[in-house]
């Protein structure tokens, strides 16, 4: 039978030191942050990806680069922008080899729409951003407008004015600057029609689609969470579709919702996965970047309390990373104590039988 001696307590002490070290490593670990993960831009314009990155003390950055995600032979790969002829003389790295990883792309084309990743190498590791930045490039095309002025006598010639200035052509493709007050008049005569107001507005499929999670971080089984989908669209998005994809699976995502907000009242381990929202209006639709939702089964009250506090406590009172690192140690202690009680009960039963 297993006997608890000082060796076991020494082992627990070593595990405690190990988890504290891991917690510090997590706090001072590496990260890549995109200020706007879902930018939207017009064809022919320029866009800047504001980006920052961090790494552990002692690491020295030796190389930085951006890549774009592409599907080849059914496999999602990341291709460096320097290897794509389409981006030659159009992409400009604005960052440095310290903490700024900003990138600019000029003379945008519709083909530039897609997922972008940042990566950097240090003297110790090669770092690749876990999430992507999704750029959507749209081409602004206005409706065709024809100005027609009706007069009872065909002998008169009519002209159009916009805000008091003559209009060169009565037919044109509407742009934002064409908005204004229009009237028609008989050439050489002071008689004119009433003012007609022309409104020009920007319309396009939803862009900047993003997901907001009510309780970010680990979720304990049985807790609840809200996922809200938002976007910038004109006209406004009128329908939504939610998808979930398993982390370890490359198969097709599973549709899990069709509302603006996805509510999971009692999460289970099977709810763990990458969630994606698709927002749509009358002109089309766009997807958000994937958001990871992790559901954990905690075996002891301490870890369950931390998970509850992560979801319900004010932001300033959320459990720090050090406590999350200690949670597995507490779980091990809980297991050993339970095992010790079980063994004691077994010993007592054996003595009673003897």
């Amino acid at each position: 039978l297993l006997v608890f001696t000082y060796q076991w307590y020494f082992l627990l002490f070593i595990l405690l030191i190990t988890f504290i070290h891991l917690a510090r490593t997590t706090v001072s670990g590496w990260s890549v942050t995109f200020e706007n993960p879902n930018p939207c831009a017009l064809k022919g314009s320029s866009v800047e990806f504001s980006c920052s990155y961090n790494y552990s003390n002692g690491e020295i950055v030796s190389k930085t680069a951006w890549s774009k995600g592409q599907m080849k032979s059914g496999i999602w790969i990341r291709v460096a922008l320097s290897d794509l002829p389409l981006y030659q003389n159009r992409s400009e790295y604005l960052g440095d080899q310290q903490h700024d990883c900003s990138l600019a792309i000029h003379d945008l084309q519709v083909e530039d729409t897609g997922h972008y990743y940042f990566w950097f190498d240090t003297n110790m590791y090669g770092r690749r951003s876990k999430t992507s930045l999704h750029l959507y490039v749209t081409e602004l095309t206005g409706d065709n407008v024809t100005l027609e002025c009706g007069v009872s006598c065909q002998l008169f010639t009519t002209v159009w004015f916009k805000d008091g200035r003559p209009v060169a052509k009565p037919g044109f493709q509407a742009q934002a600057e064409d908005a204004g007050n229009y009237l028609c008049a008989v050439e050489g005569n002071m008689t004119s029609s009433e003012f007609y107001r022309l409104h020009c507005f920007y319309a396009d499929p939803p862009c900047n689609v993003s997901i907001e999670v009510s309780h970010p971080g680990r979720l304990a089984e049985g807790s609840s969470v809200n996922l809200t989908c938002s976007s910038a669209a004109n006209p406004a998005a009128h329908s939504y579709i939610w998808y979930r994809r398993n982390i370890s699976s490359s198969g097709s995502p599973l549709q899990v919702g069709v509302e603006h907000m996805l509510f999971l009242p009692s999460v289970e381990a099977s709810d763990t996965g990458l969630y994606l929202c698709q927002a749509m209006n009358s002109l089309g639709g766009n997807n958000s970047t994937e958001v990871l939702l992790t559901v954990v089964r905690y075996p002891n009250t301490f870890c369950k309390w931390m998970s509850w506090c992560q979801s319900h406590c004010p932001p300033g009172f959320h459990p720090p990373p050090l406590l999350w690192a200690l949670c597995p140690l507490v779980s091990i202690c809980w297991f050993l104590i339970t095992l010790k009680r079980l063994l004691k009960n077994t010993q007592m039963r054996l003595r009673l039988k003897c």
Side-chain angles (χ1 to χ4, degrees), residues 283-302:
L283 299 176
N286 270 307
N287 297 338
S288 69
T289 54
E290 293 179 325
V291 171
L292 176 62
L293 203 66
T294 304
V295 181
V296 182
R297 178 179 295 149
Y298 293 119
N300 59 73
T301 306
F302 174 71

Side-chain angles (χ1 to χ4, degrees), residues 322-340:
L322 178 59
L323 281 182
W324 282 114
L326 290 177
C327 185
L329 178 60
V330 175
S331 301
I332 294 174
C333 294
W334 174 85
F335 171 76
L336 292 176
I337 293 172
T338 304
L339 180 60
K340 183 178 179 180

Side-chain angles (χ1 to χ4, degrees), residues 2-22:
L2 182 62
V3 179
F4 281 80
T5 62
Y6 289 107
Q7 285 85 349
W8 280 100
Y9 293 107
F10 177 76
L11 176 61
L12 292 178
F13 175 76
I14 296 298
L15 288 173
L16 174 62
I17 298 300
T18 302
F19 279 110
I20 291 176
H21 173 73
L22 290 175

Side-chain angles (χ1 to χ4, degrees), residues 41 145 213 325:
V145 176
V213 183

Side-chain angles (χ1 to χ4, degrees), residues 53-118:
Y53 65 106
N54 292 297
Y55 43 90
S56 302
N57 295 331
E59 293 188 62
I60 301 175
V61 178
S62 59
K63 187 177 181 180
T64 60
W66 280 80
S67 57
K68 185 179 181 183
Q70 293 185 349
M71 188 69 73
K72 288 190 176 181
S73 302
I75 301 176
W76 186 258
I77 62 173
R78 303 183 184 188
V79 183
L81 296 186
S82 57
D83 296 333
L84 296 174
L86 179 66
Y87 293 91
Q88 289 185 1
N89 301 322
R90 291 199 304 120
S91 61
E92 178 185 4
Y93 185 64
L94 305 177
D96 49 39
Q97 291 191 346
Q98 294 179 354
H99 297 288
D100 188 357
C101 52
S102 300
L103 175 78
I105 301 179
H106 307 288
D107 189 21
L108 287 170
Q109 305 299 314
V110 176
E111 295 78 12
D112 294 331
T113 296
H115 293 271
Y116 292 81
Y117 303 84
F118 175 73

